[in-house]
Amino acid sequence: MRKIVLGALTALIALAAVAVGAREAGVFPVLSSKAIGGKQSAGFYLLPTSQLLRPWGGETPLKGRPVDLALDAAHRRLAVLNSKEIDLLDDGSGAVLEVIPTNTTSYAGIAFRPGGGELWASETGKADALFIESFANDGTPAGAIRIPLGGHPVPCGIVFSPDGKWAYVALSRANALVVVDADKKQVARRIDVGMAPSGVAYDTASGKVYVTNRGGRRPVAGDALAPSSGSQVTTDPVTGATSTGTISVIDTETWKAQEFKTGLAPSNVTIRADLHMAAVVNDNSDSVSVFNTRTMQREDVAVPTWANNTLGSEPDAVEFSPDGKRMYVACGGTNSVDVLEKDGGKWKVAGAIPVGYFPTALKVDQNGALRVLNLKGDGNTARPGGYFNSRQFVGSLLTIPAPGLEQVQAGEKEVEAANRPRFSASGGIENPPSLGIEHVFFIVKENRTYDQVFGDIKEGNGDPDLVMYGRNITPNHHALAEQFVLLDNFNTSSAISFDGHQWLMMGFVSDYTERAFAASPRGYAWNMADALTVSPAGFFWQFAPKPLSVRIYGEFCTPAVWDPEKKSVIDINEGEDRSWSEYYQLYKDGKWETAVGSKTGVPALAKYFDQRYPNDSTSIPDQVRADEFLREFHEFEQNGRLPRLTVMTLNDDHTSGTRPGAPTPRAMVADDDLALGRIVEAISHSRYWASSLILVVEDDPQDGIDHVDGHRTVALAIGPHIRRHAVDSNYYTQLSMVRTMQDLFGIAPRTRFLAEARAMNSIFTAQADTAAYQHLVPGVALDEMNPPLRALSGARLQAAKESLRMDFSEPDRNSPEALDRILWADAKGYNTPYPVKHGRKEK
């Protein structure tokens, strides 16, 4: 165990008390339209969700993705459940006392055992278990043991009986609660509950255990179903999101369970036994359900989203004040702790406190002071030593003195202002629907930063030293950026593929997804083939004022193979993919059609889906994807039935590293580039070109670095009404691109993130230029192959061996950091050091 002391925060806490008392309604300045993300000169942060951040209180940074928090009975120590460790902090000073290494941890689940000198935590991954750290009399860690749980049930919330004899643990994938004999360190009993249980609380007045069921009740006949980590859950037939939420109440004498309705996606529960109250936070309903524990009557309290009547405050933790007259609700979607008080017998929002980026847990001490755990800290993506990468995960713990009513009222105004930032005018077309754009093609690619591809375009804000896939490899990307508009301040709202596809398809990422960054223990559902990831507000094109025709190629997919006789697909496992060389030969021979295919992971979207389009394995060349799209596109040319919206994935720019038997990274990026060029050329020569718009974006920028920000990425806007030979440095994000499409189709945003996103009006021009595009051929052969192991030595050999161990059947199944460095060495030379530089270079 290594000891880390970051320094006492006593002085900061004292200053925080002054700050909380003195801060007036937080009025943020109008930001320049060309602002750069991250820390601003006035001290606050501009986040990639276009929110502003200026937390109250004293801060302890915590490297990693901290998700849950425990406070010991004596209020001396805080324990933080982090990605692969437990951070033990002094509650008085905020200093980190110990870092206790663990296996990969779960979504939640950490608790001090009453009177037992033990700390329990949920581990999941290779071997699901309960991790137990013992403490010596002086409070120092004295050794750890584990209680194996067998299989992969995914332990989550943990609570103890008051005497510390029994531990009650939610098993998310097993849809059960287990009772553990804390002395014998054995599972004594298992009780079935609802779907995907998460939070657990103990009612000392009744001896009952409360368990939130994030996936709601168990399905019954007639339900619309969707998959969720090995189970089927009840869903909305239109959106595919879970459509029920419940809490199970278990009598610990009879072990009988009763189930009661809550809002959607209940995440956490806390109980005030002396007041007979249980509070449940509902992530997908933006509400708190308050139960009378004697009658189980329920009162639902709405939590503000800013903008109103949209989804997105995402309450995910709740605690009572010492006197029980307040509830504090952590809201991951608005970066706030909302304060609820009784008003005329009903709970209402009295104010809010600005906190860090996506709070996930909080505790209130005996003096009413708050400890708030923030999953993403301040969102800074700076790497140690310089440059930026989206995977620089640093959370934070805030210590905030008990706030008064005037302070939380002022805080609420500041929170609203932070969630509704103001930018100077961006220019362009005020009313893009007037341009007559009828057809939008939305193409999603994988994992590149701006500098990796466009750093060599002198007109933009690029760093040529960071270019890995320049003009010779990506001639079509370069030509399209230069002939149309170069977007050199476009940012992902995401960090990795898991949240990237969700931001792009829904304009929403739940706390379930945000908590999963350590290991995605229920599955890496980048394709939303887990109903728990799906927004109840639906996908961005749904709920249009007029029915919108949509066609989906590759997004949301699971592996399959097209059967021409049955006119449907046959499911396959990822391991049944053929080699890249086999697929490429089939492509050259024109025989690929019965060797590829895909199936949607979201049953509600099946009617939109092209099952003949390849799944997202990087073993399949993007030329095959282009061919399948063009096959259908030419049919639409003939029959005049082209859908209004086309959603497509082209993902081979992800690469397969230097894996022997796969093309070189630059060949795979060139393959992706050529496929894009061919698609744009076909559309530009078609009958639909005059009324078309093509938008291209990476789902995330995680496999590279950038000199401006880790979220800055490659994005293209192409079409007759797109400005020609222009550079647009307005601050835009993935959410901006989605909002632009919604505006063109007249779709009202249903999430707060889309409602407050800036549409990309500046990319448009009223004067149409219908000149067609002619694709370019990259200067790299698409079948340039990585050499075999026998031809390699030294660092090249090690990189190839590491690439062989990686799984490229789906996005991000490997260490992004390792792949990032392999790609750098392959592109720049194995003797070229991985870049380290101080400061931010700007144009």
Side-chain angles (χ1 to χ4, degrees):
M1 300 178 191
R2 51 195 176 90
K3 192 172 183 180
I4 298 179
V5 179
L6 297 181
L9 290 176
T10 306
L12 282 176
I13 295 169
L15 287 173
V18 176
V20 172
R23 193 188 302 271
E24 298 178 356
V27 178
F28 293 91
V30 175
L31 294 173
S32 165
S33 188
K34 298 181 180 181
I36 291 174
K39 193 169 186 178
Q40 306 299 298
S41 60
F44 59 87
Y45 291 83
L46 171 59
L47 301 180
T49 49
S50 292
Q51 296 166 293
L52 305 180
L53 194 74
R54 185 167 58 194
W56 289 6
E59 181 180 34
T60 299
L62 298 168
K63 188 173 182 180
R65 284 281 189 156
V67 295
D68 204 358
L69 180 66
L71 177 62
D72 72 2
H75 290 246
R76 291 196 303 256
R77 292 172 300 176
L78 287 161
V80 173
L81 190 69
N82 211 329
S83 306
K84 292 185 178 181
E85 65 191 36
I86 295 169
D87 300 318
L88 199 65
L89 287 75
D90 180 87
D91 185 48
S93 67
V96 178
L97 303 174
E98 299 282 349
V99 174
I100 302 171
T102 66
N103 294 330
T104 303
T105 57
S106 187
Y107 298 97
I110 189 165
F112 286 96
R113 181 185 176 190
E118 294 174 352
L119 176 65
W120 290 41
S122 292
E123 288 185 332
T124 185
K126 293 181 179 179
D128 291 6
L130 296 174
F131 174 91
I132 304 172
E133 180 71 47
S134 297
F135 295 97
N137 291 334
D138 63 359
T140 58
I145 63 170
R146 290 177 171 86
I147 301 176
L149 295 173
H152 186 39
V154 183
C156 278
I158 302 171
V159 73
F160 285 94
S161 59
D163 59 8
K165 179 172 176 52
W166 304 102
Y168 305 93
V169 184
L171 300 183
S172 178
R173 288 190 77 245
N175 306 314
L177 177 83
V178 290
V179 183
V180 182
D181 186 318
D183 291 328
K184 296 180 179 179
K185 305 295 189 286
Q186 294 177 350
V187 174
R189 185 181 298 271
R190 170 175 161 154
I191 302 106
D192 288 339
V193 291
M195 307 305 293
S198 178
V200 188
Y202 188 94
D203 181 8
T204 57
S206 66
K208 294 179 180 179
V209 177
Y210 286 60
V211 184
T212 61
N213 300 307
R214 190 180 186 96
R217 61 168 172 77
R218 291 178 177 244
V220 297
D223 284 349
L225 302 178
S228 179
S229 194
S231 296
Q232 294 286 311
V233 296
T234 300
T235 58
D236 182 283
V238 175
T239 65
T242 56
S243 57
T244 68
T246 63
I247 189 166
S248 295
V249 181
I250 300 163
D251 189 314
T252 56
E253 292 185 0
T254 65
W255 301 113
K256 291 183 178 179
Q258 290 182 287
E259 198 166 11
F260 300 90
K261 292 181 180 179
T262 64
L264 297 177
S267 173
N268 237 309
V269 55
T270 192
I271 293 176
R272 187 64 187 255
D274 59 331
L275 299 176
H276 306 290
M277 287 189 296
V280 177
V281 281
N282 305 306
D283 185 70
N284 282 0
S285 288
D286 293 339
S287 68
V288 181
S289 294
V290 186
F291 289 91
N292 181 316
T293 56
R294 290 176 293 190
T295 65
M296 292 309 292
Q297 289 185 323
R298 186 183 93 211
E299 175 191 352
D300 288 339
V301 187
V303 179
T305 55
W306 302 293
N308 294 329
N309 302 314
T310 58
L311 176 74
S313 60
E314 301 188 62
D316 55 16
V318 58
E319 288 287 330
F320 286 98
S321 62
D323 61 7
K325 295 181 179 180
R326 270 187 179 177
M327 278 190 283
Y328 293 102
V329 181
C331 296
T334 52
N335 308 318
S336 65
V337 170
D338 284 18
V339 182
L340 277 57
E341 293 183 351
K342 280 282 187 74
D343 181 7
K346 296 288 185 180
W347 288 97
K348 293 185 178 180
V349 176
I353 302 167
V355 295
Y357 194 1
F358 214 97
T360 56
L362 57 86
K363 294 295 177 185
V364 182
D365 71 14
Q366 66 270 33
N367 299 315
L370 278 70
R371 312 292 187 268
V372 183
L373 190 66
N374 305 291
L375 191 71
K376 303 184 190 181
D378 57 24
N380 185 15
T381 61
R383 294 177 58 87
Y387 289 119
F388 297 81
N389 178 271
S390 68
R391 301 186 318 276
Q392 296 308 299
F393 299 150
V394 179
S396 67
L397 179 74
L398 295 176
T399 303
I400 304 172
L405 180 59
E406 290 184 359
Q407 294 156 356
V408 301
Q409 289 173 340
E412 183 175 27
K413 294 176 181 178
E414 183 164 332
V415 169
E416 180 174 8
N419 280 279
R420 312 189 82 168
R422 298 166 299 157
F423 290 85
S424 62
S426 61
I429 299 296
E430 292 185 5
N431 183 26
S434 67
L435 299 174
I437 295 171
E438 294 290 326
H439 301 283
V440 176
F441 301 85
F442 187 32
I443 301 174
V444 180
K445 306 185 324 89
E446 287 281 338
N447 297 23
R448 301 275 71 89
T449 69
Y450 178 93
D451 276 335
Q452 283 183 301
V453 179
F454 287 156
D456 58 353
I457 299 180
K458 64 181 185 300
E459 291 81 4
N461 182 10
D463 186 340
D465 292 340
L466 299 181
V467 176
M468 293 166 59
Y469 307 112
R471 192 178 301 273
N472 186 53
I473 300 168
T474 55
N476 289 289
H477 283 73
H478 281 71
L480 292 166
E482 291 169 337
Q483 291 181 29
F484 292 92
V485 59
L486 176 65
L487 299 166
D488 70 347
N489 194 13
F490 188 98
N491 299 266
T492 66
S493 303
S494 63
I496 61 176
S497 293
F498 196 2
D499 62 331
H501 289 270
Q502 295 180 39
W503 282 123
L504 289 170
M505 295 299 116
M506 302 184 297
F508 177 83
V509 174
S510 71
D511 88 295
Y512 169 76
T513 296
E514 295 286 9
R515 290 173 182 270
F517 270 64
S520 307
R522 287 179 58 95
Y524 192 77
W526 64 273
N527 54 7
M528 286 146 280
D530 178 349
L532 270 62
T533 66
V534 179
S535 163
F539 298 94
F540 76 83
W541 61 83
Q542 294 182 317
F543 307 105
K546 296 180 180 178
L548 186 69
S549 53
V550 179
R551 191 66 166 158
I552 299 172
Y553 301 88
E555 190 66 71
F556 312 102
C557 72
T558 60
V561 171
W562 176 251
D563 185 333
E565 293 184 4
K566 295 182 179 179
K567 302 294 183 184
S568 63
V569 291
I570 302 167
D571 288 346
I572 63 170
N573 296 321
E574 290 90 345
E576 296 179 64
D577 276 346
R578 305 187 190 204
S579 71
W580 185 91
S581 296
E582 289 179 278
Y583 284 121
Y584 191 60
Q585 189 62 49
L586 289 169
Y587 162 70
K588 291 193 295 183
D589 295 341
K591 298 179 180 179
W592 54 266
E593 292 192 16
T594 58
V596 301
S598 55
K599 186 177 180 180
T600 181
V602 184
L605 301 182
K607 63 182 179 181
Y608 304 119
F609 202 76
D610 177 14
Q611 296 183 86
R612 296 171 68 170
Y613 196 81
N615 72 74
D616 279 359
S617 169
T618 55
S619 293
I620 304 172
D622 272 344
Q623 300 313 303
V624 177
R625 296 183 176 91
D627 271 14
E628 170 54 20
F629 166 74
L630 294 175
R631 181 193 66 78
E632 275 210 341
F633 183 73
H634 293 319
E635 289 181 3
F636 293 137
E637 275 238 89
Q638 295 297 317
N639 61 32
R641 297 177 182 173
L642 177 68
R644 298 283 308 282
L645 173 66
T646 296
V647 177
M648 186 189 324
T649 56
L650 290 176
N651 62 299
D652 274 5
D653 60 334
H654 181 285
T655 83
S656 294
T658 56
R659 183 187 187 96
T664 62
R666 67 177 192 166
M668 296 194 75
V669 175
D671 173 31
D672 176 87
D673 177 81
L674 179 59
L676 177 64
R678 292 175 58 208
I679 289 168
V680 173
E681 177 182 292
I683 296 169
S684 74
H685 283 86
S686 75
R687 61 190 282 192
Y688 299 109
W689 177 234
S691 59
S692 289
L693 170 65
I694 305 169
L695 295 173
V696 184
V697 69
E698 304 286 320
D699 76 309
D700 69 73
Q702 65 171 309
D703 283 345
I705 56 177
D706 191 89
H707 82 277
V708 173
D709 191 272
H711 295 101
R712 201 171 64 130
T713 196
V714 173
L716 296 167
I718 306 155
H721 281 286
I722 297 297
R723 295 162 61 200
R724 296 277 182 153
H725 308 290
V727 177
D728 190 327
S729 298
N730 286 297
Y731 181 80
Y732 290 135
T733 69
Q734 289 173 326
L735 292 164
S736 301
M737 188 172 279
V738 176
R739 175 61 188 270
T740 301
M741 290 186 282
Q742 289 192 315
D743 284 359
L744 288 171
F745 291 128
I747 302 171
R750 289 166 58 88
T751 73
R752 68 144 314 279
F753 302 102
L754 290 173
E756 296 300 327
R758 307 173 70 209
M760 300 169 62
N761 293 357
S762 62
I763 65 175
F764 296 110
T765 179
Q767 185 64 45
D769 183 341
T770 57
Y773 178 75
Q774 194 73 31
H775 83 266
L776 303 173
V777 177
V780 179
L782 304 191
D783 58 354
E784 177 187 81
M785 307 299 286
N786 289 317
L789 294 179
R790 64 178 179 273
L792 302 172
S793 62
R796 292 177 185 272
L797 177 61
Q798 293 307 310
K801 287 181 176 179
E802 191 163 7
S803 296
L804 271 174
R805 290 191 291 268
M806 293 179 174
D807 180 356
F808 294 100
S809 60
E810 287 188 351
D812 301 348
R813 288 196 164 189
N814 315 290
S815 164
E817 178 73 19
L819 182 58
D820 185 2
R821 290 179 177 271
I822 288 170
L823 296 179
W824 172 266
D826 174 76
K828 309 296 274 190
Y830 283 82
N831 293 322
T832 304
Y834 194 76
V836 174
K837 184 166 120 186
H838 291 277
R840 172 183 278 176
K841 181 176 124 183
E842 298 174 10
K843 184 179 175 182

